[in-house]
Amino acid sequence: MFLSVFDVFKIGVGPSSSHTMGPMTAAARFLDLLRDVPERQRAARLMATLHGSLAFTGKGHATDRAVALGLLGYLPADLDPDRAERELVALHESRLLRPQSLPPLAFDPAVDIVFDYGPPLPGHANGLVFAALDIHGNTVMTETYYSIGGGFVVTAAEREAPTVAASGLAQWPYPFDNAASMLAMSRDTGLSVAAMKRENEIAVRPAPEVERGLAHIWSVMNASIDRGMSRDGELPGGLHVGRRARRIHQQLLAERLANSSEPHAASDWLSVYAMAVNEENAAGGQVVTAPTNGAAGVVPAVLRYYLDHCASAEATQVPDFLLTAAAIGGLIKHNASISGAEAGCQGEVGSAAAMAAAGLCAVLGGTPEQIENAAEIALEHHLGMTCDPVRGLVQVPCIERNGIGATKAVAAASLALRGDGTHFMPLDNCIEAMRQTGEEMSVKFKETSLGGLAVNLPEC
Protein backbone atom coordinates (compact mmCIF):
# COMPACT_ATOMS: atom_id res chain seq x y z
CA MET A 1 0.00 0.00 0.00
CA PHE A 2 1.47 3.35 -1.03
CA LEU A 3 1.76 5.82 1.82
CA SER A 4 2.54 9.36 0.76
CA VAL A 5 5.24 11.40 2.44
CA PHE A 6 2.41 13.79 3.33
CA ASP A 7 0.63 10.97 5.15
CA VAL A 8 3.72 10.12 7.17
CA PHE A 9 4.51 13.77 7.93
CA LYS A 10 1.27 15.54 8.80
CA ILE A 11 1.16 19.05 10.22
CA GLY A 12 -0.99 19.30 13.30
CA VAL A 13 -1.14 20.18 16.98
CA GLY A 14 0.00 18.52 20.19
CA PRO A 15 0.01 16.70 22.38
CA SER A 16 -0.84 13.47 20.52
CA SER A 17 -1.51 12.37 16.96
CA SER A 18 -3.61 9.42 18.18
CA HIS A 19 -5.40 11.24 20.99
CA THR A 20 -5.64 14.78 19.62
CA MET A 21 -5.32 14.87 15.84
CA GLY A 22 -7.20 11.62 15.19
CA PRO A 23 -10.25 12.36 17.37
CA MET A 24 -10.42 15.93 16.01
CA THR A 25 -10.50 14.55 12.47
CA ALA A 26 -13.07 11.90 13.41
CA ALA A 27 -15.38 14.55 14.89
CA ALA A 28 -15.18 16.63 11.72
CA ARG A 29 -15.90 13.53 9.63
CA PHE A 30 -18.98 12.74 11.71
CA LEU A 31 -20.37 16.21 11.00
CA ASP A 32 -19.92 15.52 7.29
CA LEU A 33 -21.97 12.34 7.69
CA LEU A 34 -24.76 14.27 9.41
CA ARG A 35 -24.99 16.65 6.48
CA ASP A 36 -26.23 13.74 4.36
CA VAL A 37 -29.05 12.80 6.76
CA PRO A 38 -32.55 13.66 5.43
CA GLU A 39 -34.01 16.76 7.06
CA ARG A 40 -36.89 14.86 8.66
CA GLN A 41 -34.35 12.78 10.59
CA ARG A 42 -32.19 15.69 11.61
CA ALA A 43 -30.34 15.45 14.89
CA ALA A 44 -30.80 17.78 17.84
CA ARG A 45 -27.96 16.62 20.12
CA LEU A 46 -24.53 15.00 19.77
CA MET A 47 -22.60 12.68 22.06
CA ALA A 48 -19.13 11.15 21.91
CA THR A 49 -17.86 8.16 23.88
CA LEU A 50 -14.13 7.48 24.27
CA HIS A 51 -12.92 3.90 24.70
CA GLY A 52 -9.70 2.12 25.56
CA SER A 53 -6.57 4.25 25.55
CA LEU A 54 -8.57 7.32 24.51
CA ALA A 55 -10.48 7.03 27.77
CA PHE A 56 -7.61 6.07 30.07
CA THR A 57 -5.23 8.79 28.87
CA GLY A 58 -7.71 11.13 27.21
CA LYS A 59 -7.62 13.80 29.90
CA GLY A 60 -3.84 14.02 29.78
CA HIS A 61 -3.85 14.10 25.99
CA ALA A 62 -6.70 16.66 25.79
CA THR A 63 -8.82 14.25 23.75
CA ASP A 64 -12.05 15.82 24.99
CA ARG A 65 -10.80 19.22 23.83
CA ALA A 66 -9.87 17.73 20.44
CA VAL A 67 -13.35 16.23 19.99
CA ALA A 68 -14.97 19.56 20.78
CA LEU A 69 -12.68 21.36 18.33
CA GLY A 70 -13.49 18.86 15.60
CA LEU A 71 -17.22 19.39 16.18
CA LEU A 72 -16.56 23.12 15.92
CA GLY A 73 -15.27 22.42 12.42
CA TYR A 74 -11.51 22.50 12.99
CA LEU A 75 -8.96 20.15 11.46
CA PRO A 76 -5.45 19.73 12.93
CA ALA A 77 -3.58 21.30 10.01
CA ASP A 78 -5.62 24.52 9.94
CA LEU A 79 -6.17 25.16 13.65
CA ASP A 80 -5.97 28.80 14.73
CA PRO A 81 -5.18 28.40 18.45
CA ASP A 82 -6.41 31.82 19.60
CA ARG A 83 -9.68 31.65 17.70
CA ALA A 84 -10.19 28.02 18.74
CA GLU A 85 -9.83 28.89 22.42
CA ARG A 86 -12.45 31.63 22.13
CA GLU A 87 -14.87 29.25 20.44
CA LEU A 88 -14.26 26.57 23.07
CA VAL A 89 -15.11 29.04 25.84
CA ALA A 90 -18.27 30.03 23.98
CA LEU A 91 -19.23 26.37 23.49
CA HIS A 92 -18.88 25.59 27.20
CA GLU A 93 -21.11 28.56 27.99
CA SER A 94 -23.78 28.04 25.31
CA ARG A 95 -23.59 24.21 25.08
CA LEU A 96 -24.64 24.65 21.47
CA LEU A 97 -22.91 23.84 18.19
CA ARG A 98 -23.73 25.76 15.03
CA PRO A 99 -22.14 23.69 12.24
CA GLN A 100 -22.23 24.94 8.67
CA SER A 101 -25.19 23.51 6.68
CA LEU A 102 -26.71 21.95 9.81
CA PRO A 103 -29.25 23.15 12.37
CA PRO A 104 -27.99 24.06 15.86
CA LEU A 105 -27.02 20.98 17.87
CA ALA A 106 -27.03 20.66 21.65
CA PHE A 107 -23.61 19.60 22.90
CA ASP A 108 -22.22 20.07 26.39
CA PRO A 109 -18.57 18.91 26.39
CA ALA A 110 -18.66 18.33 30.16
CA VAL A 111 -21.59 15.91 29.83
CA ASP A 112 -21.71 14.68 26.25
CA ILE A 113 -18.10 13.46 26.05
CA VAL A 114 -18.09 10.18 27.98
CA PHE A 115 -14.92 8.41 29.15
CA ASP A 116 -15.67 4.67 29.10
CA TYR A 117 -13.07 2.86 31.23
CA GLY A 118 -14.35 -0.60 30.36
CA PRO A 119 -12.86 -2.98 27.79
CA PRO A 120 -11.63 -1.34 24.57
CA LEU A 121 -13.57 -1.68 21.35
CA PRO A 122 -12.60 -4.74 19.29
CA GLY A 123 -11.02 -2.95 16.34
CA HIS A 124 -8.25 -0.95 18.05
CA ALA A 125 -7.20 0.35 21.46
CA ASN A 126 -8.08 3.92 20.37
CA GLY A 127 -11.80 3.83 19.71
CA LEU A 128 -14.51 6.50 19.84
CA VAL A 129 -18.20 6.42 19.04
CA PHE A 130 -20.25 9.43 17.95
CA ALA A 131 -24.02 9.46 18.27
CA ALA A 132 -26.60 11.91 16.97
CA LEU A 133 -29.94 12.05 18.81
CA ASP A 134 -33.23 13.65 17.83
CA ILE A 135 -35.31 15.93 20.07
CA HIS A 136 -36.88 12.87 21.71
CA GLY A 137 -33.54 11.28 22.55
CA ASN A 138 -33.80 8.64 19.83
CA THR A 139 -30.65 7.73 17.95
CA VAL A 140 -30.50 9.17 14.45
CA MET A 141 -27.01 7.99 13.57
CA THR A 142 -23.92 6.46 15.15
CA GLU A 143 -20.46 5.90 13.78
CA THR A 144 -17.43 4.21 15.28
CA TYR A 145 -13.95 5.51 14.53
CA TYR A 146 -10.51 4.23 15.36
CA SER A 147 -7.53 6.55 15.72
CA ILE A 148 -4.81 4.20 14.50
CA GLY A 149 -1.71 6.36 14.97
CA GLY A 150 -0.05 9.25 13.19
CA GLY A 151 -3.34 11.15 12.94
CA PHE A 152 -4.93 8.45 10.76
CA VAL A 153 -8.61 7.71 11.37
CA VAL A 154 -10.73 4.85 10.01
CA THR A 155 -14.32 3.84 10.61
CA ALA A 156 -15.13 0.40 11.99
CA ALA A 157 -16.15 -0.69 8.49
CA GLU A 158 -12.92 0.61 6.97
CA ARG A 159 -10.91 -1.11 9.69
CA GLU A 160 -12.54 -4.45 8.95
CA ALA A 161 -12.35 -4.15 5.16
CA PRO A 162 -9.85 -6.50 3.47
CA THR A 163 -6.57 -4.92 2.51
CA VAL A 164 -6.13 -3.78 -1.08
CA ALA A 165 -2.38 -3.59 -0.83
CA ALA A 166 -1.71 -5.79 -3.82
CA SER A 167 -4.03 -3.94 -6.21
CA GLY A 168 -3.08 -0.57 -4.73
CA LEU A 169 0.58 -1.07 -5.55
CA ALA A 170 0.04 -1.50 -9.27
CA GLN A 171 -0.67 2.17 -9.96
CA TRP A 172 2.66 3.44 -8.59
CA PRO A 173 5.86 3.59 -10.64
CA TYR A 174 7.90 1.94 -7.86
CA PRO A 175 5.46 -0.14 -5.80
CA PHE A 176 7.55 -1.49 -2.93
CA ASP A 177 5.68 -2.67 0.17
CA ASN A 178 8.59 -4.11 2.14
CA ALA A 179 12.30 -3.48 2.44
CA ALA A 180 13.28 -6.48 0.32
CA SER A 181 11.25 -5.27 -2.66
CA MET A 182 12.54 -1.72 -2.10
CA LEU A 183 16.15 -2.92 -2.34
CA ALA A 184 15.44 -5.17 -5.32
CA MET A 185 13.74 -2.32 -7.16
CA SER A 186 16.63 0.00 -6.40
CA ARG A 187 19.15 -2.54 -7.75
CA ASP A 188 17.08 -3.11 -10.90
CA THR A 189 16.58 0.59 -11.67
CA GLY A 190 19.73 2.13 -10.25
CA LEU A 191 17.59 4.66 -8.38
CA SER A 192 18.00 5.70 -4.78
CA VAL A 193 15.27 5.19 -2.19
CA ALA A 194 14.54 8.93 -2.27
CA ALA A 195 14.35 8.98 -6.07
CA MET A 196 11.84 6.12 -6.15
CA LYS A 197 9.79 7.72 -3.40
CA ARG A 198 9.82 11.04 -5.26
CA GLU A 199 8.56 9.39 -8.47
CA ASN A 200 5.74 7.77 -6.52
CA GLU A 201 4.78 11.16 -5.10
CA ILE A 202 4.85 12.79 -8.53
CA ALA A 203 2.45 10.10 -9.75
CA VAL A 204 -0.30 11.62 -7.57
CA ARG A 205 0.59 15.35 -7.55
CA PRO A 206 2.68 17.73 -9.67
CA ALA A 207 6.41 17.80 -8.98
CA PRO A 208 6.46 21.48 -7.90
CA GLU A 209 3.71 20.74 -5.39
CA VAL A 210 5.74 17.86 -3.97
CA GLU A 211 8.81 20.06 -3.54
CA ARG A 212 6.80 22.90 -1.99
CA GLY A 213 5.16 20.43 0.38
CA LEU A 214 8.49 18.99 1.48
CA ALA A 215 9.88 22.48 2.05
CA HIS A 216 6.83 23.37 4.14
CA ILE A 217 7.16 20.21 6.25
CA TRP A 218 10.76 21.07 7.11
CA SER A 219 9.84 24.70 7.74
CA VAL A 220 7.25 23.65 10.35
CA MET A 221 9.63 21.11 11.90
CA ASN A 222 12.44 23.64 12.12
CA ALA A 223 10.13 26.31 13.54
CA SER A 224 9.02 23.93 16.29
CA ILE A 225 12.68 23.44 17.27
CA ASP A 226 13.29 27.19 17.38
CA ARG A 227 10.11 27.88 19.37
CA GLY A 228 10.94 25.16 21.86
CA MET A 229 14.45 26.51 22.38
CA SER A 230 13.16 30.03 23.02
CA ARG A 231 10.52 29.38 25.68
CA ASP A 232 10.61 28.87 29.42
CA GLY A 233 7.89 27.97 31.88
CA GLU A 234 5.96 24.99 33.13
CA LEU A 235 4.19 22.57 30.82
CA PRO A 236 0.42 22.18 31.31
CA GLY A 237 -1.18 19.12 32.87
CA GLY A 238 -0.34 19.19 36.56
CA LEU A 239 2.96 17.28 36.63
CA HIS A 240 4.83 20.57 37.12
CA VAL A 241 7.37 19.61 34.45
CA GLY A 242 9.41 22.63 33.44
CA ARG A 243 10.72 23.34 29.99
CA ARG A 244 14.47 22.64 29.74
CA ALA A 245 15.36 23.04 26.06
CA ARG A 246 16.03 26.79 26.23
CA ARG A 247 18.38 26.50 29.21
CA ILE A 248 20.29 23.56 27.71
CA HIS A 249 20.59 25.36 24.38
CA GLN A 250 22.02 28.44 26.08
CA GLN A 251 24.55 26.26 27.91
CA LEU A 252 25.63 24.60 24.66
CA LEU A 253 26.02 27.96 22.94
CA ALA A 254 28.15 29.27 25.81
CA GLU A 255 30.37 26.19 25.72
CA ARG A 256 30.82 26.55 21.98
CA LEU A 257 31.83 30.21 22.32
CA ALA A 258 34.29 29.32 25.07
CA ASN A 259 35.65 26.42 23.02
CA SER A 260 35.08 24.18 26.04
CA SER A 261 32.70 21.57 24.64
CA GLU A 262 33.25 17.90 25.41
CA PRO A 263 32.98 15.40 22.51
CA HIS A 264 29.72 14.02 23.87
CA ALA A 265 28.11 17.47 23.52
CA ALA A 266 27.08 16.32 20.04
CA SER A 267 24.52 14.08 21.75
CA ASP A 268 23.32 17.03 23.81
CA TRP A 269 22.68 19.05 20.65
CA LEU A 270 20.60 16.18 19.28
CA SER A 271 18.70 15.89 22.54
CA VAL A 272 17.98 19.60 22.86
CA TYR A 273 16.58 19.79 19.33
CA ALA A 274 14.32 16.81 19.99
CA MET A 275 13.28 17.97 23.45
CA ALA A 276 12.43 21.42 22.09
CA VAL A 277 9.94 19.89 19.65
CA ASN A 278 8.36 17.65 22.25
CA GLU A 279 8.05 20.43 24.78
CA GLU A 280 6.14 22.34 22.12
CA ASN A 281 4.04 19.26 21.48
CA ALA A 282 3.30 18.83 25.20
CA ALA A 283 2.20 22.46 25.31
CA GLY A 284 -0.28 21.89 22.46
CA GLY A 285 1.82 23.71 19.86
CA GLN A 286 2.19 23.02 16.15
CA VAL A 287 4.37 20.05 15.24
CA VAL A 288 4.66 17.49 12.45
CA THR A 289 3.81 13.83 12.98
CA ALA A 290 7.07 11.97 12.40
CA PRO A 291 5.45 9.49 12.34
CA THR A 292 3.43 10.47 15.46
CA ASN A 293 3.24 13.47 17.78
CA GLY A 294 4.71 11.51 20.66
CA ALA A 295 7.78 10.85 18.51
CA ALA A 296 7.70 14.18 16.65
CA GLY A 297 11.13 15.33 17.83
CA VAL A 298 13.39 12.57 16.49
CA VAL A 299 13.36 13.23 12.74
CA PRO A 300 13.57 17.05 13.03
CA ALA A 301 16.42 16.74 15.55
CA VAL A 302 18.50 14.49 13.31
CA LEU A 303 17.85 16.63 10.25
CA ARG A 304 18.75 19.81 12.13
CA TYR A 305 21.86 18.05 13.46
CA TYR A 306 22.84 17.18 9.88
CA LEU A 307 22.44 20.78 8.72
CA ASP A 308 24.11 22.42 11.72
CA HIS A 309 26.87 19.97 12.61
CA CYS A 310 27.82 17.76 9.64
CA ALA A 311 30.68 19.08 7.52
CA SER A 312 29.21 17.81 4.25
CA ALA A 313 25.68 19.12 4.89
CA GLU A 314 23.77 20.76 2.04
CA ALA A 315 20.31 22.26 2.42
CA THR A 316 19.40 20.84 -1.00
CA GLN A 317 19.50 17.38 0.59
CA VAL A 318 16.58 18.07 2.95
CA PRO A 319 13.94 16.66 0.54
CA ASP A 320 15.92 13.44 0.06
CA PHE A 321 16.21 13.05 3.84
CA LEU A 322 12.45 13.41 4.27
CA LEU A 323 11.57 11.17 1.32
CA THR A 324 13.87 8.40 2.55
CA ALA A 325 12.55 8.68 6.10
CA ALA A 326 8.97 8.59 4.83
CA ALA A 327 9.67 5.47 2.78
CA ILE A 328 10.83 3.64 5.91
CA GLY A 329 7.95 5.00 7.99
CA GLY A 330 5.48 3.80 5.39
CA LEU A 331 6.94 0.29 5.44
CA ILE A 332 6.68 0.12 9.22
CA LYS A 333 3.10 1.38 9.28
CA HIS A 334 2.07 -0.98 6.48
CA ASN A 335 3.66 -4.09 7.96
CA ALA A 336 3.38 -3.41 11.71
CA SER A 337 2.17 -0.27 13.51
CA ILE A 338 3.21 3.24 14.52
CA SER A 339 0.56 3.43 17.24
CA GLY A 340 1.67 3.49 20.87
CA ALA A 341 -1.68 2.02 21.90
CA GLU A 342 -1.14 -0.88 19.51
CA ALA A 343 2.62 -1.50 19.65
CA GLY A 344 4.00 0.48 22.59
CA CYS A 345 6.65 3.17 22.19
CA GLN A 346 8.70 0.89 19.93
CA GLY A 347 6.04 1.78 17.34
CA GLU A 348 6.48 5.52 17.93
CA VAL A 349 10.02 6.50 18.94
CA GLY A 350 11.37 3.22 17.53
CA SER A 351 9.83 3.92 14.14
CA ALA A 352 10.96 7.54 14.28
CA ALA A 353 14.54 6.50 15.02
CA ALA A 354 14.52 4.07 12.09
CA MET A 355 13.18 6.79 9.80
CA ALA A 356 15.73 9.36 10.98
CA ALA A 357 18.62 6.89 10.71
CA ALA A 358 17.63 6.06 7.14
CA GLY A 359 17.29 9.73 6.20
CA LEU A 360 20.67 10.66 7.68
CA CYS A 361 22.40 7.68 6.10
CA ALA A 362 20.96 8.70 2.71
CA VAL A 363 22.16 12.32 2.81
CA LEU A 364 25.60 11.24 4.06
CA GLY A 365 26.01 9.19 0.91
CA GLY A 366 24.75 5.80 2.02
CA THR A 367 23.71 3.14 -0.47
CA PRO A 368 20.18 1.69 -0.34
CA GLU A 369 21.62 -1.35 1.44
CA GLN A 370 23.29 0.86 4.06
CA ILE A 371 20.06 2.84 4.46
CA GLU A 372 18.11 -0.35 5.12
CA ASN A 373 20.80 -1.42 7.58
CA ALA A 374 20.66 1.93 9.41
CA ALA A 375 16.89 1.68 9.80
CA GLU A 376 17.16 -1.88 11.08
CA ILE A 377 19.83 -1.02 13.66
CA ALA A 378 17.78 1.87 15.01
CA LEU A 379 14.54 -0.10 15.19
CA GLU A 380 16.17 -3.22 16.62
CA HIS A 381 17.38 -1.34 19.66
CA HIS A 382 13.93 -0.03 20.53
CA LEU A 383 12.17 -3.40 20.45
CA GLY A 384 10.02 -4.02 23.50
CA MET A 385 9.84 -0.38 24.54
CA THR A 386 6.64 0.32 26.45
CA CYS A 387 4.37 3.33 26.15
CA ASP A 388 3.78 4.38 29.76
CA PRO A 389 3.13 8.14 29.92
CA VAL A 390 2.73 9.40 33.47
CA ARG A 391 -0.89 10.55 33.96
CA GLY A 392 -1.39 10.20 30.21
CA LEU A 393 0.69 13.31 29.50
CA VAL A 394 3.20 13.28 26.64
CA GLN A 395 5.91 14.56 28.99
CA VAL A 396 7.43 11.87 31.19
CA PRO A 397 9.23 9.91 29.77
CA CYS A 398 8.32 11.08 26.28
CA ILE A 399 10.30 14.32 26.01
CA GLU A 400 13.66 12.83 26.99
CA ARG A 401 12.86 9.64 25.09
CA ASN A 402 12.82 11.61 21.85
CA GLY A 403 16.29 12.93 22.62
CA ILE A 404 17.64 9.44 23.24
CA GLY A 405 15.87 8.18 20.11
CA ALA A 406 17.63 10.85 18.05
CA THR A 407 21.04 9.86 19.41
CA LYS A 408 20.33 6.21 18.62
CA ALA A 409 19.36 7.20 15.08
CA VAL A 410 22.66 8.98 14.47
CA ALA A 411 24.63 6.10 15.97
CA ALA A 412 22.73 3.64 13.75
CA ALA A 413 23.42 5.67 10.60
CA SER A 414 27.09 5.99 11.49
CA LEU A 415 27.46 2.25 12.12
CA ALA A 416 25.71 1.42 8.85
CA LEU A 417 27.99 3.76 6.93
CA ARG A 418 31.02 1.94 8.39
CA GLY A 419 29.85 -1.24 6.64
CA ASP A 420 28.83 -2.19 3.12
CA GLY A 421 25.15 -2.81 3.87
CA THR A 422 25.58 -6.53 4.50
CA HIS A 423 24.10 -7.51 7.84
CA PHE A 424 22.47 -10.43 9.61
CA MET A 425 18.94 -9.24 10.49
CA PRO A 426 16.88 -7.80 7.59
CA LEU A 427 14.71 -4.77 8.30
CA ASP A 428 11.59 -6.70 7.27
CA ASN A 429 12.25 -9.31 9.96
CA CYS A 430 12.86 -6.61 12.55
CA ILE A 431 9.55 -4.95 11.63
CA GLU A 432 7.80 -8.30 11.98
CA ALA A 433 9.46 -8.80 15.38
CA MET A 434 8.10 -5.41 16.44
CA ARG A 435 4.61 -6.35 15.29
CA GLN A 436 4.71 -9.63 17.22
CA THR A 437 6.12 -7.94 20.31
CA GLY A 438 3.36 -5.34 20.21
CA GLU A 439 0.69 -8.03 19.96
CA GLU A 440 2.13 -9.94 22.91
CA MET A 441 2.76 -6.88 25.09
CA SER A 442 0.40 -6.45 28.02
CA VAL A 443 -2.21 -3.76 27.44
CA LYS A 444 -0.98 -2.11 30.66
CA PHE A 445 2.18 -1.07 28.83
CA LYS A 446 0.51 0.31 25.71
CA GLU A 447 -0.51 3.92 26.32
CA THR A 448 -3.01 3.22 29.08
CA SER A 449 -0.89 4.68 31.93
CA LEU A 450 -1.68 1.51 33.89
CA GLY A 451 1.87 0.16 34.07
CA GLY A 452 5.58 0.92 33.95
CA LEU A 453 6.76 4.42 34.82
CA ALA A 454 3.17 5.63 34.93
CA VAL A 455 2.50 3.72 38.15
CA ASN A 456 5.94 4.11 39.69
CA LEU A 457 5.91 7.73 40.76
CA PRO A 458 7.95 9.55 43.41
CA GLU A 459 6.39 9.34 46.84
CA CYS A 460 5.16 12.70 48.08
Side-chain angles (χ1 to χ4, degrees), residues 2 7 89 102-103 111 157 192 207 222 287 292 296 320 330 381 412 434 459:
F2 175 69
D7 291 326
V89 170
L102 284 170
V111 174
S192 67
N222 201 34
V287 296
T292 66
D320 279 7
H381 296 288
M434 188 186 82
E459 294 184 9

Side-chain angles (χ1 to χ4, degrees), residues 254-267:
E255 291 169 6
R256 176 186 281 177
L257 288 172
N259 199 26
S260 62
S261 295
E262 298 288 349
H264 56 260
S267 295

Side-chain angles (χ1 to χ4, degrees), residues 392-417:
L393 298 167
V394 192
Q395 297 178 19
V396 179
C398 317
I399 294 171
E400 287 180 352
R401 188 169 284 177
N402 273 256
I404 301 302
T407 61
K408 284 186 180 181
V410 172
S414 183
L415 281 174
L417 287 166

Side-chain angles (χ1 to χ4, degrees), residues 45-342:
R45 178 188 173 198
L46 298 186
M47 292 188 67
T49 305
L50 310 179
H51 296 268
S53 180
L54 294 184
F56 282 105
T57 65
K59 288 292 184 181
H61 286 100
T63 304
D64 46 353
R65 177 179 182 272
V67 167
L69 287 171
L71 294 176
L72 285 168
Y74 286 102
L75 289 172
D78 58 17
L79 182 68
D80 178 336
D82 293 334
R83 179 182 171 192
E85 283 304 318
R86 291 194 297 270
E87 292 196 25
L88 278 174
V89 170
L91 174 60
H92 279 276
E93 291 175 351
S94 69
R95 294 176 289 224
L96 198 65
L97 294 165
R98 299 184 184 277
Q100 186 177 3
S101 304
L102 284 170
L105 297 166
F107 181 74
D108 181 353
V111 174
D112 294 325
I113 300 177
V114 179
F115 290 77
D116 187 324
Y117 299 107
L121 298 179
H124 192 277
N126 294 330
L128 63 165
V129 179
F130 288 92
L133 312 176
D134 64 18
I135 58 173
H136 304 294
N138 300 314
T139 301
V140 173
M141 173 184 288
T142 65
E143 185 60 273
T144 299
Y145 295 91
Y146 294 111
S147 182
I148 60 174
F152 290 92
V153 172
V154 295
T155 65
E158 291 166 346
R159 181 73 172 166
E160 295 165 6
T163 180
V164 293
S167 61
L169 287 171
Q171 59 185 306
W172 312 114
Y174 301 99
F176 54 87
D177 61 352
N178 56 40
S181 61
M182 178 185 76
L183 292 177
M185 205 165 292
S186 178
R187 285 192 294 269
D188 292 343
T189 63
L191 294 176
S192 67
V193 174
M196 293 190 296
K197 185 66 175 169
R198 181 178 276 104
E199 290 301 314
N200 284 343
E201 297 294 336
I202 293 172
V204 295
R205 53 178 60 84
E209 184 179 329
V210 172
E211 298 305 324
R212 285 194 301 271
L214 291 170
H216 184 50
I217 287 170
W218 172 235
S219 175
V220 174
M221 286 181 170
N222 201 34
S224 67
I225 293 175
D226 288 338
R227 283 197 312 274
M229 292 193 304
S230 68
R231 297 182 178 182
D232 288 315
E234 189 176 283
L235 295 171
L239 287 182
H240 306 295
V241 172
R243 288 177 179 257
R244 290 181 290 163
R246 182 174 182 270
R247 175 173 52 83
I248 296 172
H249 183 232
Q250 289 176 332
Q251 292 172 346
L252 290 169
L253 288 174
E255 291 169 6
R256 176 186 281 177
L257 288 172
N259 199 26
S260 62
S261 295
E262 298 288 349
H264 56 260
S267 295
D268 295 339
W269 281 102
L270 277 163
S271 291
V272 77
Y273 294 150
M275 290 170 63
V277 174
N278 284 86
E279 287 176 0
E280 278 297 290
N281 179 62
Q286 187 179 59
V287 296
V288 179
T289 64
T292 66
N293 281 31
V298 178
V299 169
V302 174
L303 184 43
R304 177 73 171 258
Y305 171 82
Y306 163 73
L307 292 171
D308 287 359
H309 300 272
C310 292
S312 61
E314 296 180 10
T316 55
Q317 292 295 301
V318 168
D320 279 7
F321 185 110
L322 294 174
L323 287 164
T324 305
I328 298 302
L331 294 181
I332 295 172
K333 177 171 173 50
H334 176 60
N335 293 296
S337 176
I338 60 170
S339 168
E342 201 168 36

